[in-house]
Amino acid sequence: MMTAVTADSVLDRFRERGALLEGHFRLTSGLHSSGYLQCALVLQHPRDAEACGKAIASYAGTLGVQVVLSPALGGIVIGQEVGRALGVRAIFAERQDGGLTLRRGFSLDRGEKVLVVEDVVTTGGSTTETIDVARAAGAEVLAAAAIIDRSGGERRIDVPFHALASVALPTYTPETCPLCASGLPVVKPGSRNGKP
Ligand SMILES: [Zn+2]
């Protein structure tokens, strides 16, 4: 990416990679939105993933983080990069029987200092669940971070939180979609290989 990572430079790179599209989209949920965000389209480029990881690590560098914990699948790649930049372990929690849990022999020590890292925070729900996994193991969650905050300020996370950039991407039911009402054709994201 670039040495000084600003919110604008992050969003510019997302647009260049086709990972942030603006227009009128039908999401897989069936809802419509004026924007489409797919972090994987940025993170597939290792140098971009590394730059995002370094930027999050520079935020967290003075906290004394001992381990990075991410929710699978979305948080794994960025969590690995943050761990690499901080020089600490990076582990992930994954869903089993509805709840997030540590598998594969991953564990946290009592009192171990954790940074929770995700790619995108929408409601904060999966970050909060991941924080709970760490606390249930007796670890101490120092902070949480993400590449993109798309919560529009609605997130509820009870530790200090930092995102590299924020975007507002409101969603609508087709019946109430103002873009439909204005006659703009709706597009399914990914139908053009993510390229605008
Ligand atoms: Zn619409």
Side-chain angles (χ1 to χ4, degrees), residues 24 32 174 177 179-180 186:
H24 181 199
H32 289 196
C177 177
L179 303 161
C180 283
V186 67

Side-chain angles (χ1 to χ4, degrees), residues 24-26 31-33 172-174 176-181 184-186:
H24 181 199
F25 301 98
R26 184 189 301 113
L31 296 175
H32 289 196
S33 180
Y172 311 99
T173 62
T176 62
C177 177
L179 303 161
C180 283
L184 194 66
V186 67

